[in-house]
Structures are given as C-alpha cells and as structure tokens.
Amino acid sequence: MDFASIIQSIFGSINVEIFFSKMLAGALTTLEIFFLTLLFSLPLGMLLCLGRMSHLKVVSMPVRLYLLVMRGTPLMLQILFVFFGLQPLFGIQVDRFSATIIAFSLNYAAYFCEIYRGGMESIPKGQFEAAKVLGYSKSTSFFKIILPQVIKRIIPPMGNEFITLVKDTSLAKIIAVVELMKVTEEYVNSAVNVVPFFVAAVFYLVMNGVVSRFFSVVEKKLSYYN
Amino acid sequence: MKILEANHLVKSFGSLEVLKDISIEVKKGEVLAIIGPSGSGKSTLLRCITQLEDVDNGEIVICGETLCAKGENGKAQYASKQQRRKIGLHLGLVFQNFNLFPHLSVIQNVMNPQTEVLKKSKDEAEKHAKELLAKVGLTEKENAYPCELSGGQQQRVSIARAMAMNPDLLLFDEPTSALDPELTGEILKVIKGLAKLKTTMVIVTHEMSFAKNVADRVVFMDNGYIIADGTPSEIFDNTDNTRIREFLAKFDD
C-alpha cells in the first residue's frame, strides 16, 4: 500500500483534498477572529483600565459594572445576544461575523483591562513620583516611563489570554460562523468519522505553538532589565 | 536671594498631624541639613516642597513664585496646575531608594527627562548627560542598566538625573539610608563636591558628621515642629536643648 492510500483509508469516505482546503479556509476565519479581536480589545481594555483606576466614582463604577457583566456571563451567551438580541431590542442587525468580533472584543477587553490594572498597580509608587518630580506630564510619564514597564510585567498573563482566545474562537460556531470548529463538526457529522477532530486539534496546537513561541521571544527581548 | 521660603506649613494624614507649624527658608548657594528622629516630619516636609504631597495650609514660595498661599478659610490656596508644574521645575529631588527608570540605561535615565520635559535636542541632552556622569564618576557605566549597578552607583545616577534638569534647588531625602555603610561614603563625596560648587541644597540625613561638615545651616525637627535652626556648631556643639542632646547622644558611639 502506498502512502496516499494509507491516508485515504484513515479518512474513509472523506475527500482528503477538499477536506483540507475547507479546514484551511476555516482556520483562516479562526485567525481573522483572533486578530480582529486583539486589534479592538487591546486598546479598549486600556481605556477601560484607565476608567477602572479613575478616582472619579462616576467613571470607575460603570466600568466595574461592565467588568462584572462581561466576566460574569458566558462568552457564548454574549455572542448569541449580540447576534440575536440587538435586532429586537435596538433595531440593529449585524451579520454573523461582525457579531462575533463585537462580542469577542467586548469580552476580551474586560480581561485585558484587569491584566493592565494588575500591571499598573505592580509598578512601584516611586516610579510615578520620580517622573512627576522631574516634570513629566501625566501622558508622557504614562507612555515613556510606566507603560514600557507594565508591558514587561503583563507578558505572562497576556500569553495565557492569547492562548485562550485561540481556543475560544471555536465558540463562534454557535451562530454558524464557518471557522475551524464548524468545519470539523460538519465533517464528523456527515462522514461519521472522528478523524477530523484530531486534525482540528493539530491546527489549534500549531496556532498556539506559534503564540507561545511569540511570547517567549518577546519575554526574552524584554529581559535586558529586572 | 531666597530660593525657598515656607511659612507656617501644616499637614495631616487623617488624624495624624505630621507638620504642625513649619517655617523654613533657604538662600541661594546655601546647604541646609535637616536632622531629627524618625517620624518627625522631615521627609513629609520635602514631599510637600516637591509637590508629592499638598500641604493643608501655609505658604510656599520657590524662586519668588508662589506655589501656595495661606488661605483665609484654613486651607492652602494652590497656584494653577500649569504654574505648579513650572514651579516644580525649579526643584530636583533625590530619593532614598533612587527610583531610577529600570527600562532605561544609565545615560538614557539622565537624557530622557531633558528631551521629554525640557525638549532639548538629543545631542544636547547626551552631551550634558555625559558631563554629569563624568562628574559622578560613572562614565564607564553609561550603557549599563540600573539593575546592573550597586546601590551607591544607582544613587549617583539619580543625582546626575536630578542635576540634568538644572534645578535651582536640589533636595535629598535620606540619600544614604538605603545603602550599605561602605557605600554611603561615595554619595557623601558627590554631595560635598556639589556643595563646593555652591549648589543650593536641602538634605534630610541621619549622617550627623556629614551634616556637621557640609551644611551651612542645620535644622532640627521633632514631632512636626522645628526645634532649632542654626549653624552646625550651634546645633551640634553648643546646644542647651535637652531633646537635641538626647538625640545626638545616640550617634556618639
């Protein structure tokens, strides 16, 4: 038996070529969800963090409520709500993919907010004081002195969150976004063959392998000081 | 010319009164040492002068500019935000635990405030930084990071960083208290050098012989009040105040 026929026997009735091209397309959608979510939630999380740390209660209290709702309810529920709930309540209809990005971004921003806050609060008070006495404005002190140190400190929890996000993208299948998990499930159901599960697992593992490699490189780059 | 003038400063943290009625002045070129037991309010006084804390009441004038005035309602009237920042630039502060920026190299620590705050060009800032690092004897360490330096070296960098802003008054908050005894000498040497150059300085210190040798004037604080203000010989050798004698006796052995 040659290699091609071994492969075909594993996949049974599945057309391997079509299967892999569909899986790749699904993986591409998964990556789109991943990157677009980061694009929106990383800055949004920083804004939330500044609000959360504000001394003004009118600012910090709504942010706290937001964090409670976003972290206290399932992401799946939030995805369903954005896709099905906005139309009857506010008359806004969003397509499946946009609903996914909106729900993921709002949800992940809440987690990033708390990671940023942890980072900010771990910076010694003396750093803020030194910058203030030297005459740095609040924004310069934040961007030039505090933020670079915060970034170094939040690398490990951020790595966790990124890895979780790669896996969480699979929740998008609940509103029929054709990402990796959706493709996998359709194949398993129609071909009555569990091999696609293993293939999907390899896809996710490869993506997260890249993510964790990326984080160890960044961590190493920032290890020039303690 | 008066660089600093503070009158009737009052400051509490909650129900704890830290500064009760502090009046102090520093003339140009003068070196003032502030001594006294822990908890007497020395550091709080420096923090109020450098705006890390706001006084509850009293008047602070720096280089002729009023930072805050005594308020009729018992609350100090502070200048505008913009004015406050401008007044702050007259002052430099050296912290007990250095507070260098760990992500910046030694020379960047001294350059960054010049380029970011004073808007100097990079070349100009670098030149000034190199001169200052030479002055504190750290030319060879300019590309090192703070974590690679000894405490004494870090403190010398932080003195250079404060000097880089060309302050009219340099304040030291127990600059040697976080250092091993063998490292305090190098810091005191740097400060002595600055005194020779007629740098106006206020130094909160527990190094009595240093205060005696370097200061033009010594202030003794206790329990939120200034108990004595005079020349080193008046404070150290000829005082009849028992509180000061008791305090100094602890340093004699």
Side-chain angles (χ1 to χ4, degrees):
Chain A
M1 261 198 335
D2 63 355
F3 184 68
S5 51
I6 294 173
I7 296 287
Q8 198 55 67
S9 73
I10 292 171
F11 283 91
S13 63
I14 297 170
N15 178 319
V16 175
E17 211 170 300
I18 296 174
F19 169 68
F20 272 97
S21 76
K22 281 197 170 170
M23 287 295 267
L24 272 174
L28 216 64
T29 305
T30 292
L31 288 174
E32 273 180 76
I33 299 171
F34 177 76
F35 283 112
L36 286 172
T37 298
L38 291 180
L39 179 70
F40 296 118
S41 61
L42 286 170
L44 181 60
M46 181 52 79
L47 280 180
L48 287 169
C49 171
L50 296 177
R52 172 70 179 77
M53 293 178 76
S54 168
H55 295 297
L56 297 173
K57 273 226 159 92
V58 273
V59 180
S60 70
M61 283 316 281
V63 175
R64 290 174 85 139
L65 182 68
Y66 178 89
L67 297 180
L68 179 69
V69 172
M70 283 303 172
R71 297 192 306 157
T73 59
L75 175 53
M76 190 187 282
L77 186 150
Q78 294 165 16
I79 297 167
L80 289 168
F81 178 80
V82 173
F83 186 59
F84 294 112
L86 294 186
Q87 165 67 18
L89 284 175
F90 308 107
I92 308 164
Q93 185 58 56
V94 283
D95 64 87
R96 291 167 200 285
F97 187 74
S98 306
T100 305
I101 301 302
I102 292 169
F104 269 83
S105 299
L106 294 178
N107 179 277
Y108 268 77
Y111 288 94
F112 290 144
C113 163
E114 289 296 84
I115 292 177
Y116 291 138
R117 188 166 70 91
M120 296 275 280
E121 287 179 351
S122 76
I123 304 294
K125 229 176 95 198
Q127 292 291 308
F128 294 87
E129 294 189 345
K132 191 184 171 198
V133 171
L134 285 164
Y136 285 79
S137 68
K138 274 212 166 128
S139 67
T140 316
S141 151
F142 178 73
F143 285 110
K144 302 284 170 159
I145 306 300
I146 305 304
L147 192 59
Q149 298 183 55
V150 169
I151 289 173
K152 178 183 163 92
R153 284 169 192 235
I154 63 176
I155 289 297
M158 275 293 177
N160 267 339
E161 217 55 47
F162 277 42
I163 284 172
T164 308
L165 176 57
V166 168
K167 294 177 290 177
D168 273 358
T169 54
S170 59
L171 290 170
K173 87 173 173 61
I174 200 71
I175 54 170
V177 173
V178 189
E179 44 64 70
L180 192 52
M181 200 62 218
K182 181 80 184 159
V183 177
T184 309
E185 198 185 43
E186 277 171 1
Y187 264 98
V188 170
N189 286 342
S190 62
V192 199
N193 181 339
V194 295
V195 171
F197 282 146
F198 291 97
V199 177
V202 170
F203 268 88
Y204 284 114
L205 279 173
V206 168
M207 286 188 234
N208 270 332
V210 173
V211 169
S212 66
R213 180 89 197 111
F214 168 78
F215 273 91
S216 46
V217 168
V218 173
E219 201 169 332
K220 212 163 179 192
K221 267 215 144 149
L222 292 176
S223 66
Y224 66 89
Y225 73 92
N226 290 321
Chain B
M1 184 195 158
K2 282 177 197 164
I3 296 285
L4 166 70
E5 196 181 351
N7 288 309
H8 307 296
L9 300 185
V10 178
K11 170 74 183 172
S12 302
F13 292 110
S15 61
L16 181 70
E17 276 187 283
V18 185
L19 303 180
K20 288 170 185 162
D21 182 18
I22 298 285
S23 297
I24 195 172
E25 62 173 63
V26 181
K27 292 192 192 71
K28 193 169 168 57
E30 193 175 31
V31 178
L32 174 73
I34 303 179
I35 61 170
S38 300
S40 58
K42 307 181 298 288
S43 290
T44 305
L45 175 59
L46 282 204
R47 291 176 63 83
C48 288
I49 293 168
T50 52
Q51 302 187 46
L52 291 175
E53 305 282 352
D54 284 1
V55 292
D56 298 334
N57 203 0
E59 178 193 45
I60 301 175
V61 181
I62 292 160
C63 296
E65 295 172 65
T66 303
L67 171 63
C68 63
K70 203 167 163 64
E72 293 304 316
N73 55 356
K75 270 196 69 138
Q77 300 289 313
Y78 268 91
S80 69
K81 239 182 173 173
Q82 220 180 354
Q83 182 70 3
R84 288 184 66 158
R85 223 182 126 209
K86 197 176 142 241
I87 292 172
L89 289 175
H90 289 297
L91 308 175
L93 176 63
V94 174
F95 294 86
Q96 182 176 343
N97 40 16
F98 335 129
N99 291 335
L100 291 176
F101 302 133
H103 61 301
L104 301 179
S105 68
V106 164
I107 192 149
Q108 286 169 336
N109 261 280
V110 185
M111 282 172 63
N112 198 273
Q114 298 182 64
T115 52
E116 295 296 339
V117 180
L118 302 179
K119 306 291 174 200
K120 282 198 197 173
S121 73
K122 225 189 129 205
D123 291 344
E124 209 182 335
E126 192 175 345
K127 192 169 157 259
H128 193 199
K130 286 192 168 177
E131 286 166 11
L132 289 163
L133 288 174
K135 246 185 216 172
V136 297
L138 286 172
T139 301
E140 277 138 59
K141 296 284 182 187
E142 65 172 51
N143 292 316
Y145 283 85
C147 61
E148 299 163 337
L149 302 181
S150 73
Q153 290 170 330
Q154 288 191 49
Q155 190 60 298
R156 283 188 276 155
V157 177
S158 92
I159 293 172
R161 183 178 68 174
M163 296 291 296
M165 307 300 280
N166 293 322
D168 295 297
L169 172 61
L170 196 51
L171 303 108
F172 294 81
D173 188 7
E174 302 192 23
T176 60
S177 295
L179 301 176
D180 292 337
E182 42 188 321
L183 296 178
T184 59
E186 58 185 87
I187 299 306
L188 301 182
K189 215 174 102 192
V190 169
I191 300 175
K192 265 184 202 166
L194 293 172
K196 272 204 192 105
L197 297 171
K198 287 287 160 207
T199 311
T200 316
M201 292 186 279
V202 173
I203 307 164
V204 169
T205 185
H206 288 296
E207 298 288 327
M208 292 307 141
S209 58
F210 173 72
K212 198 171 164 180
N213 293 328
V214 176
D216 300 309
R217 241 175 68 226
V218 177
V219 159
F220 184 90
M221 276 182 78
D222 188 25
N223 196 25
Y225 292 105
I226 288 178
I227 293 190
D229 180 342
T231 63
S233 74
E234 281 169 352
I235 303 289
F236 288 102
D237 303 326
N238 302 309
T239 184
D240 45 11
N241 186 311
T242 45
R243 183 71 193 88
I244 299 176
R245 281 189 169 179
E246 271 172 29
F247 175 75
L248 292 175
K250 289 181 198 147
F251 290 89
D252 276 347
D253 39 46

